[in-house]
Amino acid sequence: MELADEAIRLADLPAADRRTIMILGHEASGIPSEALDLLDRAVEIPMVGTGHSLNVAVAGSLVLYKLAGLL
Amino acid sequence: MELADEAIRLADLPAADRRTIMILGHEASGIPSEALDLLDRAVEIPMVGTGHSLNVAVAGSLVLYKLAGLL
């Protein structure tokens, strides 16, 4: 999950149709560019309010539930 | 959020269209019945795997993102 130029919004992430690996980026520095180049897709989680980042367990859970088709 | 008879699945929870209060139930005992009677809607979060409950911050975040229309 990353604020990458080509990131899609979490709401637009379809359920996974194959085995999927999720990479979670650091809240400040994100995913290293050499790793980012290897990913099929970057996902951005929209935020509301004044926080700068989500707790990583929360961010990961949101994406996993979406990937599982449960949201 | 509760395993109540009339609970809807999280995937079916629409975005909030008014000021909304979310009540989180205890992982074992849930929401007390006298409080449950006051609620407009009960929401169940489907789980996958062997865990018995979600961390309350994760459960609350999933519902809040859904209520905010961001999932």
Side-chain angles (χ1 to χ4, degrees):
Chain A
M1 290 174 280
E2 170 77 351
L3 294 175
D5 289 342
E6 71 277 26
I8 64 169
R9 290 167 60 95
L10 179 58
D12 297 324
L13 177 66
D17 59 3
R18 71 196 77 175
R19 289 174 183 267
T20 300
I21 295 172
M22 174 178 69
I23 307 294
L24 294 155
H26 185 277
E27 61 184 344
S29 54
I31 296 171
S33 58
E34 60 269 33
L36 199 54
D37 290 340
L38 301 174
L39 306 182
D40 295 314
R41 179 175 277 160
V43 178
E44 175 184 343
I45 301 179
M47 291 185 57
V48 176
T50 57
H52 290 300
S53 65
L54 286 178
N55 172 282
V56 71
V58 169
S61 297
L62 288 166
V63 173
L64 287 174
Y65 260 83
K66 194 76 177 162
L67 286 173
L70 295 174
L71 285 178
Chain B
M1 291 173 279
E2 169 77 350
L3 295 176
D5 288 341
E6 69 277 25
I8 65 170
R9 291 167 60 96
L10 180 59
D12 299 323
L13 177 67
D17 57 3
R18 72 196 75 175
R19 289 175 182 266
T20 300
I21 296 173
M22 174 178 69
I23 307 294
L24 294 155
H26 185 276
E27 60 183 343
S29 55
I31 296 171
S33 58
E34 62 268 33
L36 199 54
D37 291 341
L38 301 174
L39 305 182
D40 294 314
R41 177 175 279 161
V43 178
E44 175 183 343
I45 302 179
M47 290 184 58
V48 176
T50 57
H52 291 300
S53 65
L54 287 178
N55 173 283
V56 70
V58 169
S61 297
L62 288 167
V63 173
L64 287 173
Y65 261 83
K66 194 76 176 161
L67 285 173
L70 295 174
L71 286 177

